[in-house]
Amino acid sequence: MRLAVGCAMWAHGPWQGRFLPQPLAAGERLRAYASWCDAVEGNTTFYATPPPQTVEAWARQTGPDFRLLVKLPKPITHGRRLAGGDEELRPFLAAMEPLGPRVHALWIQLPGSFGPGDLGALAGFLRRLPAGHRYAVEVRHPAFFTDPRAARALEGVLAGADAEWVPFDTTVLFRGPPDTDAEREAWTRKPRLPRRSPALTDRPIVRYLGRDDTARTVEGWQCWVDTITGWLREGRSPTVFVHTPDNADALPLARRFHDEVRARLPRLAPLPDPLPAEPLTLF
């Protein structure tokens, strides 16, 4: 029984000196983060394929059980819209090889314009992908959330590749007017879609976006505490990523989510104690 939790990134300015040591060399940031959380979203790979030495450094800083959700490059998903893309895909997969089992899933995040009429491209792309990886797909077209036929069609395509449907739950953000600058920015950038909670595989993935107010974030995730507890009892091994608009307290919030699930399932192993933010002294 394992629940992995994480954030949208492993380096964030407001964390330095509060949760993570400061100063902290670039080659140690992921290691420090991994003492707090056992999963992270690999959003940086969406914009550029990292060089081999960078990926090797990520592997050195994490254990083999660490979960990295690696986002496919933007030219494949948004530029070509999954039509072809082999020229970009091959070097990308080769670059990720040093991570080994840390690649929990390859994340195919699709643009909001990618709708039910594009499912043929998704099915063909999934068929061309190499075996040996898990795949997770995030869609943002409203029809997949409001039209049952479109949802069933997408589920059928994903089931054929044993791929997971990744929900990005932003319902708490849009439940009331924004109160902070970060929330106002998130209102202009984040998708406004209904919550979706069914799991398709034994390793479901959830992205949850709360508010900059901790109490509202915690109140809003109670339905996910119920869902995750049920998945664990079914023998699934979920991963949950906790976001807030400013992400200032995302690290302790991710651990708090894990603690709330563990309060219901004491057999769930606790997360390790995080590294101290301040250097250890003799006094």
Side-chain angles (χ1 to χ4, degrees):
M1 182 179 291
R2 182 184 174 194
L3 163 64
V5 295
C7 303
M9 73 288 283
W10 63 76
H12 190 40
W15 298 347
Q16 308 303 318
R18 292 181 64 212
F19 310 124
L20 304 180
Q22 186 179 20
L24 193 60
E28 293 297 321
R29 290 172 185 167
L30 180 53
R31 189 190 312 278
Y33 167 92
S35 73
W36 279 81
C37 296
D38 52 0
V40 73
E41 293 181 2
N43 284 288
T44 60
T45 57
F46 181 67
Y47 301 101
T49 297
Q53 58 269 29
T54 297
V55 180
E56 291 165 2
W58 297 347
R60 287 195 301 270
Q61 295 176 67
T62 54
D65 291 335
F66 187 81
R67 294 182 178 179
L68 185 62
L69 184 63
V70 181
K71 190 184 288 190
L72 261 62
K74 185 177 181 178
I76 298 174
T77 56
H78 289 57
R80 296 180 181 272
R81 296 171 64 88
L82 306 185
D86 291 347
E87 293 179 5
E88 294 89 357
L89 183 62
R90 281 194 296 269
F92 175 77
L93 294 177
M96 297 300 110
E97 285 183 2
L99 293 172
R102 297 165 186 80
V103 179
H104 183 65
L106 293 173
W107 175 16
I108 305 167
Q109 186 186 77
L110 297 169
S113 60
F114 193 99
D118 299 301
L119 285 179
L122 175 61
F125 183 74
L126 291 172
R127 283 195 298 268
R128 296 196 306 274
L129 291 173
H133 289 291
R134 289 179 175 269
Y135 298 97
V137 177
E138 180 185 337
V139 293
R140 296 186 171 187
H141 194 287
F144 292 122
F145 299 86
T146 59
D147 182 348
R149 292 176 299 176
R152 287 194 298 269
L154 175 56
E155 288 175 351
V157 168
L158 297 177
D162 194 27
E164 188 56 78
W165 181 339
V166 181
F168 186 22
D169 181 6
T170 63
T171 56
V172 173
L173 173 67
F174 293 111
R175 190 171 292 168
D179 296 321
T180 67
D181 288 342
E183 290 183 356
R184 281 185 279 274
E185 182 182 1
W187 263 53
T188 67
R189 298 178 56 198
K190 302 303 182 183
R192 187 182 302 213
L193 297 167
R195 178 186 294 122
R196 185 190 182 279
S197 58
L200 301 183
T201 71
D202 62 343
R203 294 194 179 187
I205 298 166
V206 174
R207 305 178 69 226
Y208 168 77
L209 175 61
R211 301 291 293 254
D212 287 332
D213 178 71
T214 293
R216 296 170 79 179
T217 296
V218 172
E219 178 187 10
W221 74 31
Q222 293 308 310
C223 61
W224 286 114
V225 172
D226 295 338
T227 297
I228 298 300
T229 300
W231 285 346
L232 288 163
R233 286 175 174 154
E234 293 169 358
R236 303 180 197 264
S237 184
T239 304
V240 176
F241 296 104
V242 175
H243 302 225
T244 66
D246 65 11
N247 282 311
D249 294 309
L251 271 177
L253 282 169
R255 291 179 67 92
R256 179 169 176 175
F257 184 90
H258 192 282
D259 288 342
E260 290 197 11
V261 175
R262 189 165 178 262
R264 300 191 185 187
L265 295 173
R267 291 185 296 129
L268 187 65
L271 294 170
D273 292 332
L275 293 173
E278 299 295 332
L280 295 177
T281 67
L282 296 177
F283 304 100

